[in-house]
Amino acid sequence: QVQVVESGGGLVQPGGSLRLSCAASGRIFSINDMAWYRQAPGKERELVARITSRGNTNYADSVKGRFTISRDNAKNTTYLQMNSLTPGDTAVYYCYTIVRPTSRPYEYQYWGQGTQVTVSS
């Protein structure tokens, strides 16, 4: 059993910053990619940022230069530092991971429950 839990969302004023965290726990043998997605009301879920097990990253064009994804492999945790936030960043942010559980020969996709980020004055 693998659990994925996000934290760090909340209400912030335009121009402000937030840091999201996502921790994977349970019977984990290894973690491949970790990523953040977001879904705004009435819109489809979209990729925000992704980081491989080797630390390679890619970002949505809309967040390049403002958001930074990182990970701590020892803690099975990924972070999303969000700066210069705008109302357009308002969404539920979801953590996504590709995990190989212990005693399993394959990798599986896991999603967190989501954390709300609201950017408003």
Side-chain angles (χ1 to χ4, degrees), residues 86-109:
T86 73
D89 296 314
T90 295
V92 178
Y93 284 70
Y94 297 91
C95 181
Y96 166 87
T97 65
I98 300 176
V99 176
R100 180 182 169 185
T102 56
S103 302
R104 296 287 186 95
Y106 304 112
E107 295 178 326
Y108 298 84
Q109 302 177 44

Side-chain angles (χ1 to χ4, degrees), residues 1-110:
Q1 191 80 358
V2 175
Q3 297 81 38
V4 177
V5 179
E6 305 103 333
S7 60
L11 173 65
V12 63
Q13 292 186 343
S17 298
L18 278 177
R19 187 190 194 212
L20 305 183
S21 300
C22 168
S25 62
R27 300 176 63 83
I28 296 172
F29 177 79
S30 63
I31 298 179
N32 197 335
D33 289 7
M34 304 185 84
W36 291 94
Y37 285 73
R38 68 185 181 187
Q39 188 167 19
K43 295 187 177 181
E44 294 187 354
R45 190 172 297 189
E46 63 174 357
L47 175 67
V48 176
R50 191 176 187 117
I51 185 167
T52 70
S53 58
R54 295 186 177 185
N56 297 316
T57 60
N58 64 283
Y59 297 90
D61 287 343
S62 59
V63 307
K64 283 181 181 177
R66 300 188 299 122
F67 291 12
T68 302
I69 188 171
S70 61
R71 64 190 284 170
D72 183 334
N73 291 329
K75 296 181 179 179
N76 292 336
T77 298
T78 183
Y79 306 95
L80 185 67
Q81 178 67 44
M82 305 185 293
N83 299 327
S84 303
L85 286 162
T86 73
D89 296 314
T90 295
V92 178
Y93 284 70
Y94 297 91
C95 181
Y96 166 87
T97 65
I98 300 176
V99 176
R100 180 182 169 185
T102 56
S103 302
R104 296 287 186 95
Y106 304 112
E107 295 178 326
Y108 298 84
Q109 302 177 44
Y110 294 90

